Amino acid sequence: MKFSGIYLGLLGGMSLLVAAIDQGVKRLVVEGYPLGESHSLIPGVLDLSYRQNTGAAFSLFHHAPTAALIAVNILVLGFFLALVYPHLRTRSGSAAAVLVLGGALGNLLDRVRWHYVVDYIDFRVWPVFNIADMCIVAGVGLLVLVMIRAEWKRPPSPGSEHA
């Protein structure tokens, strides 16, 4: 399957926009809030809590070397791109790619620059996260739906029906 350079450039540009939005919000948090301090946005429900996540998702593996975390991030991103590639012709597949790539780039920039990821959204019953994390989760969820839909639309192969 071939894609035009313009189309791939547009998807890449939109991914960079997602990463830029993520980085902009993180900059506001880093410059405007003390590390570890929480500010209630919706009392008892939502806080803004500046945290530095030195680990992977949900702060797992916080003692792992930064280089190892970066390598794993790149490998997982490559795996995701291989999964999404056949679905790039659909708007939903393209949106999934943009969300995951943009979110991954936002967090990867943090990890390369600071050796940790800036987290700040705190629902108090879930680990603290950020916009990049939300984009990654939404993009992966969307890809799952795209793949399920593609499977439903695929005509049955000969001999696959059981009577």
Side-chain angles (χ1 to χ4, degrees), residues 99-143:
L99 288 169
V100 171
L101 183 57
L105 286 173
N107 282 342
L108 197 55
L109 284 169
D110 283 8
R111 185 128 0 246
V112 167
R113 184 175 15 177
W114 295 318
H115 303 282
Y116 59 83
V117 172
V118 173
D119 287 331
Y120 49 87
I121 301 170
D122 185 359
F123 278 104
R124 302 170 51 107
V125 294
W126 192 257
V128 181
F129 58 99
N130 60 45
I131 289 174
D133 297 336
M134 291 186 333
C135 289
I136 292 167
V137 170
V140 168
L142 184 56
L143 178 62

Side-chain angles (χ1 to χ4, degrees), residues 27-109:
R27 182 180 181 136
L28 292 173
V29 169
V30 168
E31 291 177 357
Y33 295 93
L35 178 63
E37 192 170 303
S38 291
H39 300 276
S40 183
L41 299 176
I42 302 173
V45 177
L46 175 63
D47 288 355
L48 180 71
S49 302
Y50 172 27
R51 302 285 189 267
Q52 295 175 349
N53 180 357
T54 58
F58 310 119
S59 297
L60 297 172
F61 312 113
H62 63 274
H63 293 296
T66 300
L69 292 172
I70 290 170
V72 169
N73 286 347
I74 292 170
L75 287 171
V76 170
L77 183 57
F79 177 73
F80 171 82
L81 291 174
L83 284 176
V84 78
Y85 185 79
H87 305 285
L88 286 179
R89 292 226 182 267
T90 68
R91 280 182 272 166
S92 299
S94 295
V98 164
L99 288 169
V100 171
L101 183 57
L105 286 173
N107 282 342
L108 197 55
L109 284 169

